[in-house]
Amino acid sequence: MENIKLSIDKAFGFVSKEAVAGYQPKVEAANKLLEDGTGKGNDFLGWLHLPSSIDNAHLKDIEDTAKILQENCEVVVVIGIGGSYLGAKAVIDALSNSFDWLQTERKTPVVVYAGQNIGEDYLYELQELLKNKKFGIISISKSGTTTEPALAFRLLKTQLEEQQGKEASKKLIVCITDKARGALRTLATQEGYKTFIIEDNIGGRFSVLSPVGLLPIAVAGFDVRKLVEGAVTMERLCGIDTPFAENPAAQYAAVRNELYNKGKKIEILVNYHPKLHYISEWWKQLYGESEGKEGKGIFPASVDFTTDLHSMGQWIQDGERTIFETVISVKESNYKKIFPNDDANLDGLNFLAGKRVDEVNKMAELGTMIAHIDGGVPNLKIELPKLNEYYLGQLLYFFERACGISGYVLGVNPFDQPGVEAYKKNMFALLEKPGYEEETKAIKARI
Ligand code: PA5
């Protein structure tokens, strides 16, 4: 079986091979800190050996619960924000038909999301859509106290109970939260909902392979066993027993830290398949929240090509030279589409006749890489043999492991997110939440 493949050779015109190789001791030490659990944030390493520790009973529980929602719902609303929804959405979007919501003959419910924003129109329109529909809810919050999902859950739970009755709605609600703490746990226990636990030592952005990601992905009809299998392969390949030169997570951590030290402060994750858009959103959270602290950290950005070549392409080609790109390339498309010949050739496109659309896409990818390198943009590439559960599982774990290593090499705690609290404090003060009286007074004096 093939694996996903990282190529870093197109960075070597910008940083030297020797300099990247010089990271070996630091990177190996960082990977060992993860393995030994002796680095900063070591109480959040539950993700490290999560793939290989998932057992059959756990997967069966996830699949059985997913089946109940599949059999009883036309729509399932996944409520969560940040790490509590991005991983599920990333995988579901990547594996779904691009026009999924328009499919009429469905075997699985449509999965939609709430609690990832506080848009009143968004929630109004969602609730309108759910009127007279058989829907279910997966409510996800590790802390169980996050405002955005809590607000959405209250609205949707009320609607579900009105539409289905309180008793019947119980089997349509699943909560994923802490084993003991938080309002969501209290509520789930009192109402008697089915629950899954987010372990204390797994942070939100590293939780995609826990029930946080696995349950919604299973509800959407995808093979969570294959996803986990892919992650297990990467867990082994990225571990401390794999030599530096063959360890993709070690190589990625080394090269991006060297690029950063040479002034490449922004990393742009690039894809050539629009269904990978949310893989980038997930990746941005993973790296942004893990590394952006203490005045340091690569800024993670993303583009969808070739779409964004017609917008951001100009900046990437010609703007300030502080960027590098990491391209996610899919070797083999899932479907074949051959470009037809046209005798009249009025559009002048017969030079493409007989070629696969993917061949055109691949030439765009290659041409862009060469142009961007010529324009001063180092390029890294991660190749997936195919877009399926197995290789996505590999990709997710690869990014997680590399993120842990990279954060330690940078010298930060990759597993905390102190900066996320600042806005919450101000919002609660402005909303006059009980307990925030002093902050309310202080903030009102400033506006
Ligand atoms: O990565 C993180 O820890 C955050 O993005 C959280 O996932 C996010 O803030 C949601 O938190 P919670 O699951 O506690 O509602």
Side-chain angles (χ1 to χ4, degrees):
M1 185 83 100
E2 276 181 285
N3 293 318
I4 63 166
K5 201 171 94 201
L6 171 75
S7 313
I8 63 168
D9 52 312
K10 298 295 185 292
F12 289 147
F14 303 90
V15 290
S16 74
K17 225 178 187 164
E18 294 68 34
V20 174
Y23 274 80
Q24 181 171 352
K26 272 192 240 168
V27 161
E28 285 182 345
N31 207 6
K32 188 138 187 335
L33 281 181
L34 289 173
E35 195 61 50
D36 295 346
T38 47
K40 291 180 190 167
N42 56 1
D43 41 352
F44 282 98
L45 291 175
W47 57 275
L48 195 71
H49 293 300
L50 177 63
S52 60
S53 64
I54 296 175
D55 61 18
N56 186 46
H58 181 60
L59 288 174
K60 185 149 184 333
D61 193 9
I62 293 212
E63 288 163 343
D64 290 347
T65 308
K67 198 151 177 264
I68 294 173
L69 291 172
Q70 286 172 337
E71 284 170 355
N72 292 285
C73 305
E74 297 163 81
V75 180
V76 169
V77 188
V78 174
I79 298 179
I81 193 165
S84 287
Y85 97 103
L86 279 167
K89 178 147 176 69
V91 173
I92 292 170
D93 280 14
L95 295 172
S96 293
N97 185 297
S98 304
F99 308 97
D100 183 58
W101 70 95
L102 290 174
Q103 311 244 73
T104 43
E105 280 174 28
R106 308 189 57 88
K107 291 199 193 85
T108 55
V110 177
V111 175
V112 298
Y113 302 85
Q116 83 282 34
N117 62 57
I118 325 176
E120 188 164 0
D121 289 353
Y122 184 95
L123 285 162
Y124 175 88
E125 287 161 6
L126 175 61
Q127 291 203 274
E128 284 299 301
L129 175 95
L130 295 172
K131 269 187 189 161
N132 308 317
K133 285 222 166 45
K134 284 161 64 187
F135 77 95
I137 299 172
I138 303 175
S139 188
I140 309 173
S141 176
K142 182 176 176 186
S143 63
T145 55
T146 308
T147 310
E148 291 90 335
L151 189 146
F153 187 40
R154 185 186 283 199
L155 285 170
L156 292 166
K157 172 180 178 300
T158 308
Q159 179 175 6
L160 186 62
E161 287 171 355
E162 278 165 12
Q163 287 179 200
Q164 296 282 333
K166 196 159 168 71
E167 254 336 279
S169 55
K170 285 193 178 169
K171 74 164 186 210
L172 302 172
I173 296 178
V174 181
C175 296
I176 308 178
T177 188
D178 186 86
K179 61 177 169 306
R181 280 182 308 236
L184 186 59
R185 168 57 62 188
T186 311
L187 196 155
T189 309
Q190 297 222 349
E191 299 282 18
Y193 300 144
K194 164 79 182 167
T195 63
F196 286 94
I197 291 169
I198 310 174
E199 297 296 343
D200 283 345
N201 60 0
I202 299 180
R205 59 190 175 274
F206 288 86
S207 68
V208 57
L209 297 165
S210 79
V212 171
L214 296 183
L215 181 65
I217 293 166
V219 168
F222 299 112
D223 188 341
V224 288
R225 287 174 192 267
K226 283 264 173 294
L227 190 82
V228 171
E229 210 183 291
V232 171
T233 303
M234 267 299 129
E235 184 186 321
R236 185 175 38 76
L237 264 180
C238 297
I240 53 168
D241 295 332
T242 306
F244 175 70
E246 290 153 38
N247 185 323
Q251 290 286 307
Y252 182 53
V255 71
R256 63 196 298 283
N257 272 284
E258 175 60 7
L259 285 163
Y260 178 63
N261 287 327
K262 287 285 173 315
K264 303 297 182 191
K265 306 288 185 195
I266 301 167
E267 177 175 7
I268 306 177
L269 196 71
V270 177
N271 69 68
Y272 283 82
H273 288 271
K275 47 174 80 171
L276 294 177
H277 178 86
Y278 264 88
I279 291 286
S280 300
E281 297 304 312
W282 171 83
W283 172 87
K284 283 194 286 195
Q285 191 214 358
L286 181 64
Y287 280 79
E289 265 189 7
S290 299
E291 293 193 317
K293 49 196 74 158
E294 298 174 32
K296 298 192 270 194
I298 293 172
F299 181 83
S302 65
V303 287
D304 301 329
F305 284 169
T306 63
T307 312
D308 293 333
L309 282 171
H310 298 258
S311 57
M312 293 303 289
Q314 171 59 38
W315 200 102
I316 295 169
Q317 186 71 45
D318 260 352
E320 196 179 357
R321 301 299 71 187
T322 48
I323 56 174
F324 67 98
E325 290 176 306
T326 298
V327 179
I328 299 183
S329 178
V330 181
K331 196 167 159 193
E332 187 65 39
S333 290
N334 284 326
Y335 302 106
K336 235 186 200 162
K337 184 74 22 214
I338 307 284
F339 198 70
N341 185 63
D342 183 324
D343 287 343
N345 195 27
L346 294 176
D347 54 12
L349 286 181
N350 269 356
F351 73 101
L352 297 177
K355 291 193 195 307
R356 284 181 66 176
V357 171
D358 194 52
E359 198 178 333
V360 182
N361 204 20
K362 288 287 187 312
M363 291 309 110
E365 185 181 321
L366 186 58
T368 304
M369 184 191 74
I370 294 168
H372 287 181
I373 289 171
D374 288 347
V377 183
N379 261 243
L380 314 178
K381 179 166 147 177
I382 300 161
E383 188 178 73
L384 271 66
K386 258 183 124 55
L387 204 45
N388 62 23
E389 288 92 334
Y390 181 73
Y391 294 120
L392 280 175
Q394 288 200 358
L395 185 72
L396 297 173
Y397 187 86
F398 156 75
F399 274 139
E400 287 182 349
R401 185 76 179 226
C403 183
I405 300 174
S406 192
Y408 278 160
V409 171
L410 184 68
V412 299
N413 174 357
F415 307 113
D416 65 1
Q417 54 284 328
V420 178
E421 296 310 311
Y423 97 92
K424 290 185 193 167
K425 196 179 89 195
N426 289 346
M427 178 176 74
F428 291 146
L430 289 164
L431 288 168
E432 301 181 21
K433 184 174 174 173
Y436 284 77
E437 290 75 13
E438 282 308 307
E439 286 87 349
T440 301
K441 231 188 280 162
I443 204 160
K444 289 218 164 150
R446 289 176 57 190
I447 51 176

mmCIF file of all heavy atoms in Angstrom, residues 80-86 140-147 149 176 198 203-207 285 289 415 417 420-421 424, ligand 1:
data_model
loop_
_atom_site.group_PDB
_atom_site.id
_atom_site.type_symbol
_atom_site.label_atom_id
_atom_site.label_comp_id
_atom_site.label_asym_id
_atom_site.label_seq_id
_atom_site.Cartn_x
_atom_site.Cartn_y
_atom_site.Cartn_z
ATOM 1 N N GLY A 80 -20.786 22.756 17.003
ATOM 2 C CA GLY A 80 -19.453 22.856 17.608
ATOM 3 C C GLY A 80 -18.698 23.984 16.937
ATOM 4 O O GLY A 80 -19.083 24.461 15.864
ATOM 5 N N ILE A 81 -17.605 24.395 17.567
ATOM 6 C CA ILE A 81 -16.789 25.473 16.979
ATOM 7 C C ILE A 81 -15.315 25.100 17.110
ATOM 8 O O ILE A 81 -14.948 24.302 17.989
ATOM 9 C CB ILE A 81 -17.101 26.835 17.672
ATOM 10 C CG1 ILE A 81 -16.517 28.013 16.870
ATOM 11 C CG2 ILE A 81 -16.602 26.877 19.115
ATOM 12 C CD1 ILE A 81 -17.075 29.376 17.281
ATOM 13 N N GLY A 82 -14.491 25.646 16.242
ATOM 14 C CA GLY A 82 -13.042 25.374 16.286
ATOM 15 C C GLY A 82 -12.782 23.885 16.119
ATOM 16 O O GLY A 82 -13.338 23.226 15.228
ATOM 17 N N GLY A 83 -11.991 23.338 17.034
ATOM 18 C CA GLY A 83 -11.650 21.927 16.952
ATOM 19 C C GLY A 83 -12.835 21.007 17.135
ATOM 20 O O GLY A 83 -12.763 19.819 16.846
ATOM 21 N N SER A 84 -13.955 21.557 17.581
ATOM 22 C CA SER A 84 -15.133 20.714 17.794
ATOM 23 C C SER A 84 -16.017 20.594 16.551
ATOM 24 O O SER A 84 -17.108 20.027 16.640
ATOM 25 C CB SER A 84 -15.940 21.232 18.988
ATOM 26 O OG SER A 84 -15.243 20.929 20.175
ATOM 27 N N TYR A 85 -15.583 21.158 15.420
ATOM 28 C CA TYR A 85 -16.317 20.895 14.170
ATOM 29 C C TYR A 85 -15.431 20.841 12.927
ATOM 30 O O TYR A 85 -15.768 20.171 11.949
ATOM 31 C CB TYR A 85 -17.436 21.929 13.972
ATOM 32 C CG TYR A 85 -17.089 23.105 13.062
ATOM 33 C CD1 TYR A 85 -17.554 23.165 11.744
ATOM 34 C CD2 TYR A 85 -16.293 24.143 13.512
ATOM 35 C CE1 TYR A 85 -17.241 24.239 10.918
ATOM 36 C CE2 TYR A 85 -15.973 25.213 12.696
ATOM 37 C CZ TYR A 85 -16.448 25.253 11.397
ATOM 38 O OH TYR A 85 -16.132 26.304 10.583
ATOM 39 N N LEU A 86 -14.251 21.504 12.982
ATOM 40 C CA LEU A 86 -13.469 21.645 11.744
ATOM 41 C C LEU A 86 -12.979 20.317 11.166
ATOM 42 O O LEU A 86 -12.986 20.123 9.948
ATOM 43 C CB LEU A 86 -12.280 22.578 11.983
ATOM 44 C CG LEU A 86 -12.640 24.069 11.923
ATOM 45 C CD1 LEU A 86 -11.499 24.912 12.494
ATOM 46 C CD2 LEU A 86 -12.948 24.509 10.491
ATOM 47 N N ILE A 140 -21.309 19.138 20.269
ATOM 48 C CA ILE A 140 -19.918 18.855 20.642
ATOM 49 C C ILE A 140 -19.280 20.068 21.329
ATOM 50 O O ILE A 140 -19.210 21.157 20.752
ATOM 51 C CB ILE A 140 -19.066 18.498 19.392
ATOM 52 C CG1 ILE A 140 -19.760 17.408 18.568
ATOM 53 C CG2 ILE A 140 -17.665 18.068 19.817
ATOM 54 C CD1 ILE A 140 -19.091 17.112 17.231
ATOM 55 N N SER A 141 -18.841 19.875 22.550
ATOM 56 C CA SER A 141 -18.076 20.923 23.227
ATOM 57 C C SER A 141 -17.295 20.278 24.357
ATOM 58 O O SER A 141 -17.886 19.694 25.267
ATOM 59 C CB SER A 141 -19.018 22.002 23.772
ATOM 60 O OG SER A 141 -18.285 22.954 24.504
ATOM 61 N N LYS A 142 -15.975 20.376 24.269
ATOM 62 C CA LYS A 142 -15.164 19.747 25.312
ATOM 63 C C LYS A 142 -15.412 20.425 26.656
ATOM 64 O O LYS A 142 -15.679 19.769 27.657
ATOM 65 C CB LYS A 142 -13.676 19.814 24.947
ATOM 66 C CG LYS A 142 -12.834 19.131 25.986
ATOM 67 C CD LYS A 142 -11.387 19.073 25.641
ATOM 68 C CE LYS A 142 -10.668 18.438 26.819
ATOM 69 N NZ LYS A 142 -9.245 18.422 26.705
ATOM 70 N N SER A 143 -15.339 21.759 26.654
ATOM 71 C CA SER A 143 -15.549 22.481 27.908
ATOM 72 C C SER A 143 -17.012 22.435 28.326
ATOM 73 O O SER A 143 -17.339 22.509 29.497
ATOM 74 C CB SER A 143 -15.122 23.940 27.739
ATOM 75 O OG SER A 143 -15.944 24.547 26.749
ATOM 76 N N GLY A 144 -17.871 22.327 27.328
ATOM 77 C CA GLY A 144 -19.307 22.311 27.605
ATOM 78 C C GLY A 144 -19.848 23.676 27.952
ATOM 79 O O GLY A 144 -21.011 23.797 28.358
ATOM 80 N N THR A 145 -19.023 24.703 27.790
ATOM 81 C CA THR A 145 -19.470 26.043 28.190
ATOM 82 C C THR A 145 -19.270 27.080 27.086
ATOM 83 O O THR A 145 -19.515 28.256 27.310
ATOM 84 C CB THR A 145 -18.681 26.524 29.433
ATOM 85 O OG1 THR A 145 -17.289 26.450 29.118
ATOM 86 C CG2 THR A 145 -18.967 25.698 30.659
ATOM 87 N N THR A 146 -18.809 26.662 25.916
ATOM 88 C CA THR A 146 -18.531 27.640 24.849
ATOM 89 C C THR A 146 -19.833 28.278 24.371
ATOM 90 O O THR A 146 -20.813 27.578 24.093
ATOM 91 C CB THR A 146 -17.780 26.944 23.689
ATOM 92 O OG1 THR A 146 -16.650 26.265 24.238
ATOM 93 C CG2 THR A 146 -17.321 27.939 22.643
ATOM 94 N N THR A 147 -19.819 29.600 24.274
ATOM 95 C CA THR A 147 -21.061 30.347 24.020
ATOM 96 C C THR A 147 -21.710 29.991 22.677
ATOM 97 O O THR A 147 -22.926 29.739 22.623
ATOM 98 C CB THR A 147 -20.762 31.864 24.038
ATOM 99 O OG1 THR A 147 -20.037 32.139 25.221
ATOM 100 C CG2 THR A 147 -22.032 32.684 24.006
ATOM 101 N N PRO A 149 -21.651 27.366 20.471
ATOM 102 C CA PRO A 149 -22.416 26.116 20.367
ATOM 103 C C PRO A 149 -23.535 26.002 21.403
ATOM 104 O O PRO A 149 -24.597 25.432 21.107
ATOM 105 C CB PRO A 149 -21.367 25.021 20.565
ATOM 106 C CG PRO A 149 -20.169 25.670 21.132
ATOM 107 C CD PRO A 149 -20.218 27.105 20.730
ATOM 108 N N ILE A 176 -21.169 15.147 22.816
ATOM 109 C CA ILE A 176 -19.767 14.735 22.933
ATOM 110 C C ILE A 176 -19.075 15.799 23.767
ATOM 111 O O ILE A 176 -18.975 16.960 23.349
ATOM 112 C CB ILE A 176 -19.113 14.573 21.540
ATOM 113 C CG1 ILE A 176 -19.968 13.651 20.664
ATOM 114 C CG2 ILE A 176 -17.693 14.055 21.670
ATOM 115 C CD1 ILE A 176 -19.458 13.448 19.254
ATOM 116 N N ILE A 198 -14.854 13.247 25.457
ATOM 117 C CA ILE A 198 -13.581 13.784 24.938
ATOM 118 C C ILE A 198 -12.613 13.703 26.116
ATOM 119 O O ILE A 198 -12.836 14.308 27.158
ATOM 120 C CB ILE A 198 -13.691 15.256 24.491
ATOM 121 C CG1 ILE A 198 -14.892 15.463 23.562
ATOM 122 C CG2 ILE A 198 -12.386 15.707 23.831
ATOM 123 C CD1 ILE A 198 -15.151 16.918 23.181
ATOM 124 N N GLY A 203 -6.798 17.963 23.142
ATOM 125 C CA GLY A 203 -7.267 19.325 22.880
ATOM 126 C C GLY A 203 -8.151 19.343 21.643
ATOM 127 O O GLY A 203 -8.068 18.457 20.786
ATOM 128 N N GLY A 204 -8.977 20.378 21.518
ATOM 129 C CA GLY A 204 -9.940 20.467 20.425
ATOM 130 C C GLY A 204 -9.325 20.256 19.050
ATOM 131 O O GLY A 204 -9.808 19.449 18.252
ATOM 132 N N ARG A 205 -8.248 20.963 18.773
ATOM 133 C CA ARG A 205 -7.695 20.916 17.400
ATOM 134 C C ARG A 205 -6.971 19.601 17.102
ATOM 135 O O ARG A 205 -6.579 19.366 15.967
ATOM 136 C CB ARG A 205 -6.794 22.119 17.154
ATOM 137 C CG ARG A 205 -5.610 22.249 18.087
ATOM 138 C CD ARG A 205 -4.923 23.600 17.907
ATOM 139 N NE ARG A 205 -3.846 23.818 18.851
ATOM 140 C CZ ARG A 205 -4.003 24.314 20.074
ATOM 141 N NH1 ARG A 205 -5.204 24.618 20.509
ATOM 142 N NH2 ARG A 205 -2.963 24.508 20.863
ATOM 143 N N PHE A 206 -6.771 18.787 18.126
ATOM 144 C CA PHE A 206 -6.166 17.463 17.914
ATOM 145 C C PHE A 206 -7.206 16.351 18.087
ATOM 146 O O PHE A 206 -6.855 15.207 18.327
ATOM 147 C CB PHE A 206 -5.019 17.250 18.910
ATOM 148 C CG PHE A 206 -3.779 18.071 18.619
ATOM 149 C CD1 PHE A 206 -3.641 19.369 19.089
ATOM 150 C CD2 PHE A 206 -2.747 17.547 17.845
ATOM 151 C CE1 PHE A 206 -2.510 20.127 18.812
ATOM 152 C CE2 PHE A 206 -1.608 18.289 17.559
ATOM 153 C CZ PHE A 206 -1.498 19.590 18.054
ATOM 154 N N SER A 207 -8.497 16.715 17.961
ATOM 155 C CA SER A 207 -9.522 15.744 18.361
ATOM 156 C C SER A 207 -10.251 15.059 17.200
ATOM 157 O O SER A 207 -11.201 14.322 17.426
ATOM 158 C CB SER A 207 -10.558 16.421 19.271
ATOM 159 O OG SER A 207 -11.311 17.368 18.530
ATOM 160 N N GLN A 285 -6.356 26.120 11.727
ATOM 161 C CA GLN A 285 -6.601 26.134 13.167
ATOM 162 C C GLN A 285 -5.491 25.385 13.899
ATOM 163 O O GLN A 285 -4.947 25.852 14.900
ATOM 164 C CB GLN A 285 -7.951 25.499 13.527
ATOM 165 C CG GLN A 285 -8.292 25.761 14.991
ATOM 166 C CD GLN A 285 -9.043 24.649 15.693
ATOM 167 O OE1 GLN A 285 -9.371 23.629 15.084
ATOM 168 N NE2 GLN A 285 -9.321 24.831 16.951
ATOM 169 N N GLU A 289 -3.335 28.005 16.035
ATOM 170 C CA GLU A 289 -3.510 27.978 17.495
ATOM 171 C C GLU A 289 -2.326 27.326 18.202
ATOM 172 O O GLU A 289 -2.053 27.615 19.353
ATOM 173 C CB GLU A 289 -4.792 27.204 17.868
ATOM 174 C CG GLU A 289 -5.984 28.127 18.055
ATOM 175 C CD GLU A 289 -7.223 27.420 18.629
ATOM 176 O OE1 GLU A 289 -7.171 26.244 19.020
ATOM 177 O OE2 GLU A 289 -8.254 28.085 18.661
ATOM 178 N N PHE A 415 0.264 23.182 22.683
ATOM 179 C CA PHE A 415 -1.020 22.603 23.108
ATOM 180 C C PHE A 415 -1.897 23.522 23.946
ATOM 181 O O PHE A 415 -2.927 23.098 24.441
ATOM 182 C CB PHE A 415 -0.759 21.279 23.835
ATOM 183 C CG PHE A 415 0.091 20.349 23.003
ATOM 184 C CD1 PHE A 415 1.375 20.013 23.391
ATOM 185 C CD2 PHE A 415 -0.386 19.877 21.787
ATOM 186 C CE1 PHE A 415 2.175 19.196 22.597
ATOM 187 C CE2 PHE A 415 0.405 19.064 20.983
ATOM 188 C CZ PHE A 415 1.685 18.725 21.391
ATOM 189 N N GLN A 417 -3.798 27.601 24.217
ATOM 190 C CA GLN A 417 -4.320 28.657 23.355
ATOM 191 C C GLN A 417 -4.781 29.839 24.205
ATOM 192 O O GLN A 417 -5.940 30.208 24.199
ATOM 193 C CB GLN A 417 -5.455 28.155 22.431
ATOM 194 C CG GLN A 417 -6.646 27.449 23.081
ATOM 195 C CD GLN A 417 -6.342 26.041 23.497
ATOM 196 O OE1 GLN A 417 -5.553 25.349 22.873
ATOM 197 N NE2 GLN A 417 -6.940 25.617 24.603
ATOM 198 N N VAL A 420 -7.011 32.790 22.885
ATOM 199 C CA VAL A 420 -8.421 32.650 22.485
ATOM 200 C C VAL A 420 -9.345 33.255 23.558
ATOM 201 O O VAL A 420 -10.495 33.595 23.280
ATOM 202 C CB VAL A 420 -8.755 31.151 22.241
ATOM 203 C CG1 VAL A 420 -10.216 30.945 21.873
ATOM 204 C CG2 VAL A 420 -7.864 30.589 21.135
ATOM 205 N N GLU A 421 -8.821 33.420 24.778
ATOM 206 C CA GLU A 421 -9.677 33.872 25.874
ATOM 207 C C GLU A 421 -9.993 35.366 25.828
ATOM 208 O O GLU A 421 -11.010 35.809 26.353
ATOM 209 C CB GLU A 421 -9.010 33.536 27.228
ATOM 210 C CG GLU A 421 -8.838 32.054 27.481
ATOM 211 C CD GLU A 421 -10.111 31.254 27.247
ATOM 212 O OE1 GLU A 421 -11.169 31.642 27.765
ATOM 213 O OE2 GLU A 421 -10.050 30.243 26.504
ATOM 214 N N LYS A 424 -13.353 36.470 24.497
ATOM 215 C CA LYS A 424 -14.470 35.936 25.303
ATOM 216 C C LYS A 424 -14.711 36.838 26.512
ATOM 217 O O LYS A 424 -15.851 37.149 26.847
ATOM 218 C CB LYS A 424 -14.153 34.522 25.797
ATOM 219 C CG LYS A 424 -14.151 33.480 24.709
ATOM 220 C CD LYS A 424 -13.960 32.101 25.310
ATOM 221 C CE LYS A 424 -13.646 31.089 24.244
ATOM 222 N NZ LYS A 424 -13.153 29.830 24.767
HETATM 223 O O1 PA5 B 1 -8.643 23.824 19.691
HETATM 224 C C1 PA5 B 1 -9.325 24.243 20.612
HETATM 225 O O2 PA5 B 1 -9.115 23.909 21.773
HETATM 226 C C2 PA5 B 1 -10.476 25.192 20.357
HETATM 227 O O3 PA5 B 1 -10.573 25.570 19.029
HETATM 228 C C3 PA5 B 1 -11.777 24.531 20.774
HETATM 229 O O4 PA5 B 1 -11.966 23.369 20.020
HETATM 230 C C4 PA5 B 1 -12.953 25.476 20.598
HETATM 231 O O5 PA5 B 1 -12.713 26.679 21.275
HETATM 232 C C5 PA5 B 1 -14.233 24.854 21.122
HETATM 233 O O6 PA5 B 1 -14.100 24.503 22.455
HETATM 234 P P1 PA5 B 1 -15.118 23.526 23.158
HETATM 235 O O7 PA5 B 1 -15.021 22.211 22.511
HETATM 236 O O8 PA5 B 1 -14.697 23.512 24.593
HETATM 237 O O9 PA5 B 1 -16.494 24.136 22.983
#
